[in-house]
Amino acid sequence: MIRIALDLDDTVFDFLGAYREAFPGENNMKEPKITKNVLSLKRDKKFWEGLPLLEMPNFEPCIYATKRINSKVYTRNCLSKHGLPVKPIYQIYTQRGNKARIIKGHCDVLIDDSAFNCYQALKVGFPAILITRPHNMHSDYPYRVSKLDLDEITAVYNSMKSDETRGY
């Protein structure tokens, strides 16, 4: 059985929708502005525990991998609220950090909505699959799934493993 690490924001939870609601009229989606705004939400229990479910996976992940600054308690509470399995949360506090460095050895593949995170993982030899979302539709990242479906993920993961001998 494939051991899957799931990203949370905009993979499982609708972070961007909640963010836009928390900062109405904020059209600057550039990283420094988002970082500043998210810092103001660091201790906002209601925000982090109230994130809407974007998609329920049809499998149980072995871990969650995220770039967040909030308390893991808030994350666990949000997972429980939506009936998602509470699994270990591997959390990086910087947006430029490489998730693969902290999850390698704990799972087989990362599912993420960020092409940047997926490319970072591949750079260190860790398989990562991009879940297609509106904000990454035009990314040329080659390994994608359309939903959090175990069969689709397994098929893409197996194709990645066969490509591995060619260096992805």
Side-chain angles (χ1 to χ4, degrees), residues 11-161:
T11 298
V12 176
F13 299 124
D14 185 10
F15 172 82
L16 282 175
Y19 174 87
R20 287 183 175 118
E21 201 171 290
F23 299 96
E26 179 63 61
N27 295 321
N28 183 358
M29 296 304 285
K30 301 279 188 210
E31 186 178 313
K33 184 66 174 178
I34 291 175
T35 300
K36 180 180 177 221
N37 287 342
V38 170
L39 279 170
S40 74
L41 296 171
K42 182 176 183 173
R43 291 183 175 82
D44 189 335
K45 180 179 179 178
K46 184 179 174 188
F47 177 84
W48 295 106
E49 290 184 0
L51 289 174
L53 184 66
L54 187 61
E55 182 177 350
M56 176 69 82
N58 73 349
F59 58 89
E60 190 168 305
C62 74
I63 63 173
Y64 298 100
T66 187
K67 293 181 178 180
R68 285 183 167 191
I69 60 169
N70 62 289
S71 167
K72 288 182 184 180
V73 171
Y74 301 164
T75 301
R76 281 191 284 276
N77 290 344
C78 191
L79 290 166
S80 293
K81 172 186 163 187
H82 292 293
L84 288 153
V86 177
K87 296 292 185 173
I89 300 165
Y90 288 74
Q91 189 165 317
I92 293 180
Y93 299 98
T94 62
Q95 286 302 308
R96 294 287 174 203
N98 189 338
K99 291 179 183 181
R101 295 187 190 282
I102 65 167
I103 64 173
K104 207 171 191 176
H106 301 282
C107 57
D108 302 315
V109 64
L110 169 66
I111 309 301
D112 205 299
D113 70 297
S114 166
F116 175 79
N117 290 338
C118 290
Y119 278 119
Q120 274 193 314
L122 284 186
K123 282 182 187 174
V124 297
F126 190 79
I129 298 172
L130 185 69
I131 184 157
T132 301
R133 298 291 189 230
H135 60 272
N136 67 28
M137 298 280 292
H138 301 293
S139 168
D140 63 354
Y141 190 79
Y143 303 104
R144 291 177 171 263
V145 292
S146 62
K147 58 187 178 235
L148 295 175
D149 175 76
L150 183 59
D151 291 338
E152 189 176 351
I153 291 167
T154 301
V156 174
Y157 176 74
N158 288 338
S159 79
M160 288 183 85
K161 296 307 283 178

